[in-house]
Amino acid sequence: MRNRILSLPPLRSACLAAALAALVLLALPAPSPRAVAAEGPGKGDHRVIQLPNPTLKGKMTLEEAMSKRASIRDFRQRALTQEEIGQILWSAGGQTRPWGGRTVPSAGALYPLEIDIATPEGVFRYLPERHQLQPRATGNLLPKLAAAALNQHFVAQAPAVVVISAVYERTKRRYGSRAERYVHMEAGHAAQNIHLEAVSLGLGSVAVGAFNDSEVHRVLALRADEKPLYLIPVGEPAQRP
């Protein structure tokens, strides 16, 4: 009995220490793309970054966003915030329904698109099911991406470039020869959402379709079945249109 009584205070102390440690961990801020890219080993990093929850009620009407949309090629050198990145990527294909439905229509709900975002800190893959980023590469690949885009300088100067790629086989298995049409329709839906979301956030964007497919594929280290379709530089406009 004496030994049992004497052993209680250390046990209570250990429990208290564990509880305090857990509270400290919960109080720590979520890692940023910059921090994870700096610490991660680069390509093949399996850690993820939880993005802030998307805002479902904006300050601008859809009609106002459409009227203000313009192709912006000159950007201020300001990094996008996690909130801005999360909102833009959510608009491109974030999950909106418990069964997996997303912000864009997709033939057969097969979702053949993959969305990456390249920043000076690295390349990140958007995971729509959990609204997270998967680090894929570290370092500033924007100059190489601009070179692959036929030396369009603003691709390198933008604080972020969203890349839409497609895995055609996901749709082809069900729709055969119609798959290419359906995939391209979906890419258009996602891109338009990005452009309008950018305007609603006070940002600018531009559609880039002129690029060397194989070079973009190589720079971003895409899988063999992933085909790049669309580059969208996004950032704060140097001048308001």
Side-chain angles (χ1 to χ4, degrees):
M1 179 66 70
R2 180 179 300 174
N3 290 338
R4 181 179 299 177
I5 293 173
L6 290 176
S7 64
L8 285 176
L11 178 60
R12 289 174 180 167
S13 298
C15 292
L16 180 60
L20 289 173
L23 289 173
V24 170
L25 288 174
L26 289 173
L28 290 175
S32 67
R34 181 186 301 273
V36 173
E39 297 172 1
K43 197 187 311 179
D45 189 346
H46 294 290
R47 290 177 293 176
V48 294
I49 302 164
Q50 184 64 54
L51 291 166
N53 290 333
T55 300
L56 303 183
K57 188 174 182 180
K59 299 178 180 179
M60 183 181 295
T61 66
L62 174 61
E63 292 78 13
E64 188 177 359
M66 288 191 291
S67 69
K68 290 185 174 182
R69 192 220 61 80
S71 295
I72 303 298
R73 295 177 175 83
D74 295 314
F75 302 97
R76 295 185 185 276
Q77 294 305 300
R78 175 183 74 79
L80 299 185
T81 66
Q82 275 201 11
E83 289 76 13
E84 290 170 334
I85 290 174
Q87 199 73 23
I88 288 168
L89 296 178
W90 175 82
S91 75
Q95 186 168 313
T96 58
R97 299 291 186 274
W99 55 266
R102 302 185 187 179
T103 56
V104 297
S106 179
L110 297 173
Y111 302 111
L113 302 184
E114 295 290 350
I115 310 295
D116 291 302
I117 188 165
T119 73
E121 285 72 45
V123 178
F124 305 85
R125 172 66 54 90
Y126 181 54
L127 307 178
E129 296 84 359
R130 298 175 181 174
H131 195 52
Q132 296 173 333
L133 291 180
Q134 173 73 62
R136 297 187 58 245
T138 60
N140 188 2
L141 297 180
L142 292 175
K144 292 182 178 180
L145 198 58
L150 311 183
N151 295 310
Q152 296 181 78
H153 65 89
F154 54 85
V155 174
Q157 294 174 350
V161 175
V162 180
V163 183
I164 302 175
S165 303
V167 181
Y168 287 96
E169 286 301 316
R170 292 179 191 166
T171 305
K172 189 175 182 180
R173 283 193 292 267
R174 179 179 296 185
Y175 294 107
S177 61
R178 301 287 289 184
E180 183 174 350
R181 177 182 305 203
Y182 294 159
V183 169
H184 293 171
M185 289 169 62
E186 186 171 337
H189 302 325
Q192 185 74 340
N193 278 9
I194 292 171
H195 294 306
L196 294 177
E197 186 67 62
V199 174
S200 73
L201 294 172
L203 303 173
S205 63
V206 61
V208 176
F211 53 83
N212 184 304
D213 293 21
S214 60
E215 279 299 298
V216 170
H217 194 282
R218 182 187 63 80
V219 169
L220 298 178
L222 299 176
R223 296 196 309 264
D225 60 351
E226 295 174 352
K227 311 300 181 185
L229 297 179
Y230 215 128
L231 307 182
I232 305 179
V234 181
E236 183 179 347
Q239 295 181 343
R240 295 295 169 182

